[in-house]
Amino acid sequence: MPDSLQRSSLFVSLLDPVAPTAPGDYPFTGGSRSILVPSLLGVALVVVSGMLGLNEAFRAQFYFSYLIGWTFCLSLALGALFLVLIKHLVRAYWIVSLRRIPEAVAASFPLLAILSIPILIGLFDGHGTYHHWTQEGITDPASSHYDEVLAGKVAYLNRPFFLARVAFYFIIWTFISARLWRLSLLQDVTRDAAIPARQRHLSAWGLPVMGLTTAFGSYDLLMSVDPHWFSTIFGVYFFAGAFVAALSFTALIVLVLQRAGMLRGVVTREHYHDLGKLMFGFVVFWAYIAFSQYMLYWYGGIPEETVWFKHRLEHGWEQHSALLLVGHFILPFIIMLPRAIKRNALLLGIMAVWLLVMQWFDHHWLAMPMLHQEHATFHWLDFVCWLGLTGLFAGALLWRLRRHSIVCAGDPKLRQSLDFENA
């Protein structure tokens, strides 16, 4: 990397607040170009989309497109953190050899907090561009924009409380992920036998806290885009998609690293098999939660509750709904059912890419019908924002991996993980 970037303490702290450690026998050997290419591409795309967002004609589209791309990256970090917490809590040893990947993904929250600035700016534009409840006069009975339903929710849906909640979520997420990241790296250096117990202790209280904050975070960031509608199962739906995406992203990064000559003999088809089983299982879980949410509203038949689904079953959005069903459940279920698919790194990598696309498509399906209620559409800004933010996210991830060993070499269960075989 250029010396100017290495001297920038702000840049380094955003990507990895931990001082570099010796890579040992498992260094990142991808070179500077592998970090610069996605990072610079991401910066260019985000800057271009942001400049267009200053234009009144593109402003609303930019806010929605950026929100979808940003929540996609956020879901990767949250899903990865859940994966690490669960690993420590159940003492799973098979994942030790590739655990450094989700740990590094979960360390992205400071960067994601900085990247949330355009979303926060959108809260104060006064037009309620993507969060309708922020529109000026929406809770004022004397205003032409008065909304009685939202006036009844003003105690929760107001800017100061919203900002306080989001800040709280990120403080919690950053603390838990940074603590686990530091303990993992410290274990590489000291080989301290007490560290696994400290990781489990943190995971024991961190997992339920993550469950609550992730649920409320999904309500605030995505569900409140349509503030007249609510679902008590929405947080579980968001978690299920995030966990599938994190597993897919982990499998994809491992495959890319192996193709570049790293992790050879460290991650085997046995590890891919377990990743594939989890991907398959949580695809089914996501479908179960999605169906449960739909079925309960269909069964209740209350107009103000079913209108959310009505938006997604007309004006072309019904085709998007059908594609989500087929692409996020039916096809992955059929394709990933055979054992051989899960044990083939290339085929599993292809499915990982597909499921990541479906995760973004799911977020697009959740939010975009509020902007384009009369016709289903994709806008090129949707893809520019998504690819730009993902490029920055990936560049930061590779930066962190370059500064440390890409394998948890100090974990006492690493030998068991390297020798792991499925029954």
Side-chain angles (χ1 to χ4, degrees):
M1 291 290 286
D3 291 340
S4 59
L5 291 185
Q6 293 188 15
R7 287 195 300 266
S8 172
S9 59
L10 176 61
F11 180 82
V12 171
S13 64
L14 287 177
L15 302 185
D16 181 12
V18 182
T21 57
D25 296 328
Y26 306 102
F28 178 84
T29 58
S32 299
R33 183 178 298 179
S34 62
I35 301 172
L36 281 173
V37 170
S39 300
L40 294 179
L41 180 62
V43 169
L45 293 177
V46 169
V47 169
V48 168
S49 62
M51 292 177 64
L52 287 171
L54 298 175
N55 188 314
E56 187 65 32
F58 292 101
R59 184 170 300 170
Q61 182 65 55
F62 165 75
Y63 280 139
F64 269 85
S65 298
Y66 193 93
L67 175 68
I68 292 165
W70 181 81
T71 54
F72 167 81
C73 294
L74 178 65
S75 70
L76 296 180
L78 288 170
L81 184 51
F82 273 109
L83 181 59
V84 175
L85 288 167
I86 293 170
K87 178 273 164 199
H88 289 308
L89 205 54
V90 303
R91 306 185 189 187
Y93 67 83
W94 71 268
I95 199 175
V96 169
S97 61
L98 55 89
R99 195 187 78 217
R100 185 55 48 82
I101 309 302
E103 284 180 342
V105 174
S108 303
F109 291 109
L111 179 63
L112 289 169
I114 298 298
L115 293 176
S116 70
I117 290 175
I119 295 173
L120 302 181
I121 291 174
L123 292 174
F124 292 91
D125 69 353
H127 301 293
T129 304
Y130 57 77
H131 284 94
H132 177 54
W133 52 269
T134 64
Q135 185 175 4
E136 296 296 336
I138 200 75
T139 59
D140 182 3
S143 171
S144 59
H145 299 298
Y146 177 67
D147 188 315
E148 185 177 1
V149 173
L150 297 186
K153 298 182 178 182
V154 70
Y156 188 83
L157 293 179
N158 61 82
R159 290 190 188 96
F161 193 27
F162 178 91
L163 293 174
R165 291 196 304 272
V166 171
F168 175 74
Y169 304 149
F170 269 89
I171 290 171
I172 291 294
W173 297 337
T174 301
F175 174 80
I176 294 174
S177 60
R179 185 61 178 161
L180 289 174
W181 178 239
R182 288 174 184 273
L183 285 172
S184 180
L185 296 177
L186 181 64
Q187 191 176 45
D188 285 356
V189 176
T190 66
R191 301 298 201 269
D192 186 351
I195 286 180
R198 295 167 66 185
Q199 291 168 324
R200 285 196 303 275
H201 180 269
L202 176 58
S203 300
W205 66 261
L207 192 60
V209 169
M210 281 296 301
L212 286 172
T213 53
T214 299
F216 278 93
S218 69
Y219 300 159
D220 292 339
L221 296 167
L222 281 175
M223 194 171 73
S224 69
V225 170
D226 187 348
H228 285 191
W229 181 77
F230 62 91
S231 168
T232 55
I233 205 173
F234 189 85
V236 184
Y237 177 90
F238 179 86
F239 158 76
F243 204 69
V244 172
L247 289 167
S248 302
F249 193 64
T250 298
L252 182 61
I253 294 298
V254 169
L255 176 60
V256 169
L257 292 178
Q258 283 196 329
R259 293 284 171 172
M262 295 167 271
L263 297 179
R264 297 284 177 85
V266 176
V267 179
T268 67
R269 67 172 58 189
E270 305 296 334
H271 299 99
Y272 281 115
H273 189 184
D274 267 22
L275 279 174
K277 286 188 290 186
L278 285 172
M279 289 164 61
F280 176 80
F282 275 88
V283 161
V284 176
F285 180 69
W286 173 89
Y288 167 72
I289 296 300
F291 172 75
S292 298
Q293 180 174 255
Y294 175 82
M295 183 270 294
L296 290 173
Y297 284 106
W298 171 82
Y299 183 81
I302 302 174
E304 58 266 30
E305 294 181 347
T306 58
V307 66
W308 190 86
F309 289 100
K310 182 174 182 292
H311 287 326
R312 289 153 182 80
L313 293 173
E314 62 183 8
H315 302 306
W317 287 110
E318 68 275 12
Q319 298 171 11
H320 288 234
S321 299
L323 178 59
L324 185 64
L325 172 63
V326 173
H328 207 311
F329 171 58
I330 295 177
L331 282 180
F333 180 86
I334 295 173
I335 293 172
M336 297 184 68
L337 192 58
R339 185 174 188 265
I341 300 296
K342 303 182 189 74
R343 297 177 66 83
N344 186 298
L346 180 59
L347 294 179
L348 190 67
I350 292 172
M351 288 308 303
V353 172
W354 177 257
L355 287 172
L356 288 171
V357 172
M358 283 295 104
Q359 172 71 356
W360 172 83
F361 182 76
D362 185 18
H363 286 209
H364 188 276
W365 179 81
L366 289 172
M368 200 58 74
M370 283 303 296
L371 179 64
H372 300 292
Q373 296 188 16
E374 299 304 319
H375 62 283
T377 185
F378 288 108
H379 193 277
W380 59 269
L381 268 175
D382 296 336
F383 303 102
V384 170
C385 290
W386 174 36
L387 294 175
L389 289 166
T390 304
L392 284 172
F393 189 87
L397 168 64
L398 295 175
W399 168 273
R400 282 188 291 276
L401 291 176
R402 188 188 184 192
R403 288 161 56 84
H404 312 286
S405 170
I406 59 174
V407 175
C408 299
D411 194 298
K413 293 186 179 295
L414 177 60
R415 186 72 260 169
Q416 290 177 269
S417 181
L418 293 175
D419 297 334
F420 169 72
E421 292 184 12
N422 279 279

